[in-house]
């Protein structure tokens, strides 16, 4: 399977947690008299590697979608989670998630331009020019509504609430 520049279709990646460390205490005259050898030190644990996979659901019902670094300002990417295709946008430091298939003509929305519509960020459908509000899914043609999902960025990971619980 090949990926276009606007599609992130990697199944997993490795996230490295930094080791837990303690700052050494200053040497005191009492520790040297007691024969403790000066500085308190503890060997650091080796770095722990945690493999996170796209589609993993955490205990709060949020699904792992992508890394924050994969997002480009004012651009969309396409992410496939299980059988669902999603469009993820980064606009003014906020992440928006919606179905990638336009409810009007099934055209992918991820390559669409980001514009303002009624004072809110919106994506313009590349097929017919309809504008979908990134927050609500409301369309410039009132009879269409695009499904949208809540999202969170935790560390470097983008999570989406794809299920209703």
């Amino acid at each position: 399977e090949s990926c276009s520049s606007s599609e992130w279709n990697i199944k997993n990646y490795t996230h490295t947690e930094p080791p837990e460390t303690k700052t050494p205490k200053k040497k005191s005259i009492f520790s040297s008299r007691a024969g403790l050898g000066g500085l308190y030190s503890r060997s650091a644990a080796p770095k722990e590697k945690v493999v996170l996979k796209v589609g993993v659901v955490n205990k709060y019902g949020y699904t792992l979608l992508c890394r924050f670094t994969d997002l480009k300002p004012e651009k969309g990417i396409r992410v496939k989670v299980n059988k669902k295709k999603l469009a993820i946008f980064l606009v003014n430091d906020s992440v928006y998630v919606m179905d990638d298939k336009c409810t009007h003509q099934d055209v992918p929305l991820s390559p669409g331009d980001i514009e303002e519509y009624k004072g809110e960020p919106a994506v313009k459908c590349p097929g017919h020019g309809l504008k979908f509000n990134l927050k609500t899914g409301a369309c410039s043609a009132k009879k269409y509504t695009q499904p949208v999902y809540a999202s969170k960025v935790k560390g470097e990971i983008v999570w989406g609430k794809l299920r209703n619980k």
Side-chain angles (χ1 to χ4, degrees), residues 11-165:
K11 299 293 181 203
N12 60 46
Y13 67 95
T14 303
H15 176 70
T16 304
E17 293 288 332
E20 200 175 297
T21 59
K22 293 192 176 209
T23 54
K25 293 182 180 178
K26 290 185 178 180
K27 187 174 180 178
S28 75
I29 56 169
F30 300 108
S31 64
S32 60
R33 283 188 188 163
L36 296 176
L39 294 176
Y40 171 79
S41 66
R42 188 175 209 171
S43 61
K47 288 186 178 184
E48 183 180 321
K49 290 192 177 192
V50 179
V51 176
L52 299 171
K53 295 185 179 196
V54 172
V56 169
V57 179
N58 69 13
K59 65 182 179 180
Y60 304 107
Y62 281 82
T63 303
L64 190 148
L65 301 177
C66 65
R67 292 175 289 197
F68 185 75
T69 56
D70 295 324
L71 301 175
K72 304 293 180 237
E74 310 295 318
K75 298 283 181 193
I77 65 168
R78 181 182 198 177
V79 176
K80 188 175 180 182
V81 178
N82 301 322
K83 294 182 181 181
K84 188 180 282 264
K85 294 176 183 171
L86 302 169
I88 305 174
F89 302 93
L90 176 62
V91 181
N92 299 329
D93 295 326
S94 294
V95 176
Y96 301 97
V97 181
M98 63 175 37
D99 281 351
D100 194 33
K101 189 190 296 186
C102 173
T103 52
H104 173 237
Q105 291 272 322
D106 294 340
V107 175
L109 293 174
S110 53
D113 292 329
I114 303 299
E115 297 182 0
E116 193 172 293
Y117 179 70
K118 293 186 177 181
E120 297 281 338
V123 61
K124 184 177 178 182
C125 176
H128 294 91
L130 295 177
K131 295 178 184 177
F132 292 95
N133 183 308
L134 292 174
K135 292 180 182 178
T136 65
C139 181
S140 55
K142 294 187 183 201
K143 68 180 189 175
Y144 301 105
T145 302
Q146 191 67 22
V148 295
Y149 306 97
S151 64
K152 285 185 176 189
V153 177
K154 184 91 171 159
E156 67 176 72
I157 301 169
V158 176
W159 298 87
K161 185 82 166 184
L162 305 183
R163 298 182 193 167
N164 295 332
K165 278 192 174 183

